[in-house]
């Protein structure tokens, strides 16, 4: 990781956009950046020819994708009813389909959960606290954890930038093909706890190693996170990760009988953000979060969707890529935008990358944790992030909050 940590913002910006060219000043006209234009028929290779991928380097430094010399640029056309995933091969991946989704419980009252009976005996401590009640004046789901996630609660959080009660560990080179990374609680199934499952989607040219803070934080909430190592992740790879984890609940090994296989979430960033929306069509997904994501097939979702972006994201331009996902959505959706007034370097697309720490990174980190705790565990204290006119994502440093199909 030492080489990774020394990457500059400029270097990573170039790495993320190499498949579609890297220039010092990206145009942000009606079609989005000239080197990242999906609106006009897919990704466009920069002058110089077709793009090819390199394999990850040695010493743990992720490889990047560099343009080949000569050749013909390959355009990718979005699949029918879906969104282009612009993989290096020039093919598209249709959004995955799923069965009938979960229904959200009726809304009303503060929806406070019992004060007692929180996480049982984590680390040898007696049970302490339940999920906090809704703040005064906030109304929302009487029990945000839908039918597929009932049964587990967590102690309340006063600071959503902090980790939860579970110690965590990382398992490398796992999954059906050895090409996944797992972030998980170190001890599984303590006192009968059933762990929800999350699938993570990387930004293009990156791997899970770029997001250790966020993925560990999700795991610290008792969630097992499976992340494809692919630097051009697709909705299918994310769905495959979920399905492999589900199978482990019935197989001999660490996970047997310890997973809640009907309580799934999808989370991703950039290319992986769009893929997380596609993977959200899985029948047992209860929540999806997309950070600075390319357009995803949100019309196939059946559970709540969180969209995060920033005013200074000049790569996945909000109006070109994120807003269409919001407009397509038929589920309860919150669309949050960081103002980033102090971001004179226009590096707003890189906020979620943990190896480039910033205050904005923690703002988005906290929003994702609150969203997952709300819909997975029914944490009514997390409602303050999204409910009410004075919600956390409704005021500085956030701007222009949008809600759709809100309950």
């Amino acid at each position: 990781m030492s080489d990774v940590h020394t990457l500059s913002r400029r270097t990573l910006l170039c790495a993320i956009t190499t498949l579609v060219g890297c220039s010092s000043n990206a145009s942000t006209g009606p079609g989005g950046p000239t080197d990242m234009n999906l609106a006009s028929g897919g990704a466009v290779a920069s002058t110089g020819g077709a793009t090819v991928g390199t394999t990850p380097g040695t010493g743990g430094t992720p490889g990047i994708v560099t343009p080949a010399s000569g050749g013909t640029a390959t355009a990718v056309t979005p699949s029918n009813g879906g969104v282009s995933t612009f993989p290096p091969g020039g093919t598209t991946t249709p959004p995955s389909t799923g069965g009938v989704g979960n229904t959200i419980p009726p809304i009303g009252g503060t929806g406070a959960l019992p004060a007692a009976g929180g996480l049982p005996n984590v680390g040898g401590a007696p049970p302490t606290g339940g999920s906090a009640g809704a703040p005064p004046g906030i109304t929302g789901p009487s029990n945000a954890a839908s039918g597929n996630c009932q049964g587990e609660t967590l102690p309340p959080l006063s600071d959503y930038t902090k980790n939860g009660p579970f110690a965590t560990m990382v398992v490398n080179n796992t999954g059906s093909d050895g090409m996944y990374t797992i972030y998980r609680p170190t001890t599984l199934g303590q006192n009968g706890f059933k762990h929800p499952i999350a699938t993570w989607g990387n930004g293009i040219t990156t791997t899970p190693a770029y997001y250790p803070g966020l993925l560990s934080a999700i795991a610290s909430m008792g969630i097992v996170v499976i992340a494809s190592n692919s630097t051009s992740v697709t909705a299918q790879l994310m769905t495959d990760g979920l399905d492999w984890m589900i199978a482990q609940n019935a197989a001999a090994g660490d996970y047997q009988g310890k997973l809640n296989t009907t309580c799934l979430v999808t989370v991703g960033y950039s290319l992986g953000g769009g893929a997380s929306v596609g993977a959200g069509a899985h029948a047992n997904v209860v929540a999806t979060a997309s950070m600075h994501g390319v357009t995803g097939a949100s019309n196939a979702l059946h559970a709540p969707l969180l969209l995060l972006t920033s005013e200074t994201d000049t790569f996945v331009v909000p109006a070109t890529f994120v807003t269409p996902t919001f407009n397509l959505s038929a589920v309860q959706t919150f669309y949050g935008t960081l103002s980033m007034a102090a971001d004179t370097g226009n590096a707003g697309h890189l906020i979620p990358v943990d190896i480039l720490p910033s205050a904005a990174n923690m703002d988005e980190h906290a929003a994702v944790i609150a969203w997952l705790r709300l819909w997975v565990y029914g944490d009514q204290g997390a409602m303050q992030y999204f409910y009410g006119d004075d919600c956390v994502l409704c005021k500085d440093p956030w701007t222009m909050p949008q809600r759709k199909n809100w309950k």
Side-chain angles (χ1 to χ4, degrees), residues 241-280:
L242 280 179
D243 289 339
W244 185 82
M245 284 305 314
I246 290 170
Q248 301 318 295
N249 193 59
D254 289 348
Y255 305 100
Q256 187 175 26
K258 299 171 183 175
L259 304 176
N260 186 341
T261 59
T262 61
C263 186
L264 314 178
V265 297
T266 64
V267 188
Y269 158 62
S270 193
L271 177 62
S276 73
V277 175

Side-chain angles (χ1 to χ4, degrees), residues 70-92:
T72 304
T74 303
V76 181
T77 303
S79 54
N80 186 25
V83 58
S84 168
T85 56
F86 51 90
T91 61
T92 58

Side-chain angles (χ1 to χ4, degrees), residues 143-280:
N143 180 8
S146 66
N148 284 357
C149 283
Q150 289 176 349
E152 309 294 353
T153 60
L154 295 183
L157 279 182
S158 59
D159 183 351
Y160 285 79
T161 67
K162 304 300 184 183
N163 282 4
F166 290 88
T168 64
M169 60 179 290
V170 180
V171 182
N172 294 307
N173 303 318
T174 187
S176 59
D177 57 1
M179 293 298 293
Y180 287 83
T181 299
I182 290 177
Y183 286 75
R184 47 159 277 196
T186 303
T187 301
L188 296 172
Q190 188 170 357
N191 296 298
F193 194 97
K194 300 290 186 181
H195 300 272
I197 305 170
T199 184
W200 165 261
N202 308 304
I204 196 166
T205 79
T206 68
T207 68
Y210 280 79
Y211 316 95
L214 178 59
L215 299 185
S216 292
I218 295 173
S220 78
M221 303 302 165
I223 299 171
V224 174
V225 184
I226 185 163
S228 170
N229 294 338
S230 173
T231 57
S232 54
V233 71
T234 65
Q236 189 60 57
L237 286 172
M238 293 183 68
T239 300
D240 290 347
L242 280 179
D243 289 339
W244 185 82
M245 284 305 314
I246 290 170
Q248 301 318 295
N249 193 59
D254 289 348
Y255 305 100
Q256 187 175 26
K258 299 171 183 175
L259 304 176
N260 186 341
T261 59
T262 61
C263 186
L264 314 178
V265 297
T266 64
V267 188
Y269 158 62
S270 193
L271 177 62
S276 73
V277 175

Side-chain angles (χ1 to χ4, degrees), residues 15 27 35 38-40 78 117 124 129 159 171 218-219 280 291 317 329 341 347 349:
S27 169
D35 59 357
L38 295 186
S40 60
D159 183 351
V171 182
I218 295 173
M291 309 166 75
V317 179
S329 177
H349 185 64

Side-chain angles (χ1 to χ4, degrees), residues 11 23 25 51-52 148 154 157 161 184 187 193 197 222 241 299-300 304 312 322 342 344 353 369 372-373 380:
T11 300
S23 59
N25 293 293
T51 57
V52 296
N148 284 357
L154 295 183
L157 279 182
T161 67
R184 47 159 277 196
T187 301
F193 194 97
I197 305 170
N299 56 327
T312 57
V322 186
T344 58
V353 181
I369 293 299
L372 298 186
R373 283 181 59 111
Q380 304 297 287

